[in-house]
């Protein structure tokens, strides 16, 4: 890294979508990990948080982002972001391959494991602990912590919390556990500059802007990483792409009536991908890795939401979530709408990537 360890680096806790790639969607728990951990304590079943499961599985894979929080204070990064981190911060993370759940098929994502840790909080003395391993039986981040750090100055640009927390106030096993991960504000800014999407600085961070030194660092970092600063977008849709999409959605012939209905309703000319989407039969279910499959609706039920007029909702699950695509983009980026959080999240930079 092109700095001395004596320099003070400002770090903030980062957050990301609740729809993580290594977490299952369940009604019983906020965080149900895909991967099984080695049990550290046979009495209370507390896991060894620092022994990384191998192989490391992902429940679903997104293509519209390049960095995301992983279980227990780690990160999931694209190959490009991995290379950026290796150039700028050699040795600050170790990297493990990830695989599609239940297979040895590589996902193209890397598990980035921060080497350095910080004690970002301490559980109250009155919280009961395991009589064998001394881990708290529960550790709610609000009422059950003496202190909680979200910003700090340190020596490294990527750090994870040594301590853990759980949402349930009485039993960590009812909600699983989490550890926070912190990135320097200059690294967060760099990721934005190079269009590496997926994580966000916590909105309540006291570090609201960059110092002159941090701004200078970002400019030098962009020069140092060279071509890695450029995000390679898919340039076009090929004939082979269209054939594969038709096969995936079982579209044997384009439905001109539905295509015309779509163009009339949304006043936009249908691209080749949009024509295929319009021709998907209503019996086809779409699995994008979420808890339920999505059913394609009749075009009269498709919608453009308030505030997101460029998007078109075309497939719904039984609990009110929806898949949206951008009909004005020839690649048809795919978005997921969560009815509980009312947030639209980019999950694939093109609908082709769900195949």
């Amino acid at each position: 890294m092109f700095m001395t360890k004596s320099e003070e680096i400002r770090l903030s806790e980062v957050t990301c979508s609740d729809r993580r790639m290594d977490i299952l969607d369940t009604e019983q728990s906020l965080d149900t990990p895909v991967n099984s951990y080695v049990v550290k304590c046979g009495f209370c079943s507390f896991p060894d948080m620092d022994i990384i499961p191998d192989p490391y599985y992902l429940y679903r894979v997104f293509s519209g982002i390049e960095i995301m929080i992983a279980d227990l204070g780690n990160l999931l990064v694209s190959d490009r972001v991995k290379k950026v981190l290796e150039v700028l911060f050699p040795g600050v993370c170790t990297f493990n391959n990830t695989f599609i759940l239940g297979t040895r098929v590589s996902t193209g994502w890397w598990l980035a494991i921060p080497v350095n840790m910080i004690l970002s909080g301490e559980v109250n003395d009155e919280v009961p602990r395991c009589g064998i391993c001394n881990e708290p039986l529960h550790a709610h981040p609000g009422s059950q912590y003496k202190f909680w750090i979200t910003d700090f100055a340190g020596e490294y640009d990527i750090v994870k919390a040594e301590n853990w927390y759980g949402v349930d106030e009485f039993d960590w096993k009812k909600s699983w556990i989490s550890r926070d991960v912190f990135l320097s504000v200059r690294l967060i800014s760099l990721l934005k500059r190079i269009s590496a999407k997926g994580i966000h600085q916590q909105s309540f961070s006291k570090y609201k802007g960059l110092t002159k030194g941090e701004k200078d660092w970002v400019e030098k970092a962009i020069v140092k990483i060279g071509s890695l600063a450029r995000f390679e977008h898919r340039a076009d849709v090929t004939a082979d792409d269209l054939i594969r999409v038709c096969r995936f959605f079982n579209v044997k012939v384009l439905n001109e009536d539905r295509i015309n209905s779509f163009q009339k309703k949304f006043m936009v000319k249908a691209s080749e991908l949009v024509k295929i989407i319009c021709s998907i039969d209503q019996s086809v279910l779409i699995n994008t890795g979420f808890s339920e499959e999505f059913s394609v609706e009749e075009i009269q039920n498709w919608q453009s939401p308030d505030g997101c007029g460029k998007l078109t909702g075309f497939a719904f699950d039984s609990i009110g979530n929806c898949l949206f695509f951008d009909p004005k983009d020839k690649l048809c980026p795919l978005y997921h709408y969560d009815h509980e959080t009312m947030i639209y999240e980019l999950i694939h930079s093109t609908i082709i990537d769900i195949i």
Side-chain angles (χ1 to χ4, degrees), residues 128-287:
R129 293 176 176 266
C130 173
I132 304 299
C133 70
N134 202 40
E135 289 289 348
L137 300 185
H138 43 81
H140 192 276
S143 58
Q144 297 176 345
Y145 259 80
K146 294 179 183 179
F147 67 90
W148 192 263
I149 295 174
T150 57
D151 299 292
F152 65 93
E155 295 183 356
Y156 302 98
D157 287 75
I158 307 173
V159 177
K160 69 179 174 183
E162 178 183 344
N163 50 294
W164 60 271
Y165 62 91
V167 177
D168 192 273
E169 296 185 3
F170 304 101
D171 185 356
W172 66 263
K173 291 187 288 294
K174 292 183 178 180
S175 66
W176 192 233
I177 57 177
S178 298
R179 288 199 291 189
D180 287 330
V181 59
F182 304 85
L183 300 186
S184 66
V185 293
R186 63 188 189 179
L187 174 55
I188 295 171
S189 178
L190 173 67
L191 292 172
K192 291 180 180 177
R193 284 282 300 274
I194 66 174
S195 299
K197 300 177 182 178
I199 56 97
H200 310 278
Q201 183 179 2
Q202 283 283 12
S203 58
F204 47 75
S205 170
K206 65 184 179 183
Y207 301 143
K208 299 300 183 184
L210 297 184
T211 65
K212 183 181 183 302
E214 288 166 342
K215 291 178 181 177
D216 291 343
W217 181 93
V218 171
E219 297 305 322
K220 292 177 182 178
I222 290 175
V223 173
K224 188 173 181 67
I225 63 177
S227 61
L228 293 172
R230 296 188 295 274
F231 178 65
E232 298 296 332
H233 295 274
R234 176 191 281 262
D236 212 339
V237 179
T238 67
D240 182 61
D241 289 330
L242 297 175
I243 292 171
R244 292 193 300 123
V245 173
C246 284
R247 287 175 178 169
F248 183 81
F249 290 119
N250 198 30
V251 173
K252 295 181 172 59
V253 62
L254 296 180
N255 190 312
E256 296 297 335
D257 289 339
R258 291 183 190 168
I259 294 169
N260 291 333
S261 296
F262 169 83
Q263 293 182 139
K264 183 177 180 179
K265 179 175 181 177
F266 294 100
M267 294 183 291
V268 59
K269 181 175 176 59
S271 66
E272 295 306 310
L273 276 177
V274 171
K275 290 177 181 178
I276 295 172
I277 297 172
C278 290
S279 304
I280 300 173
D281 189 86
Q282 276 65 55
S283 63
V284 174
L285 296 176
I286 302 175
N287 186 345

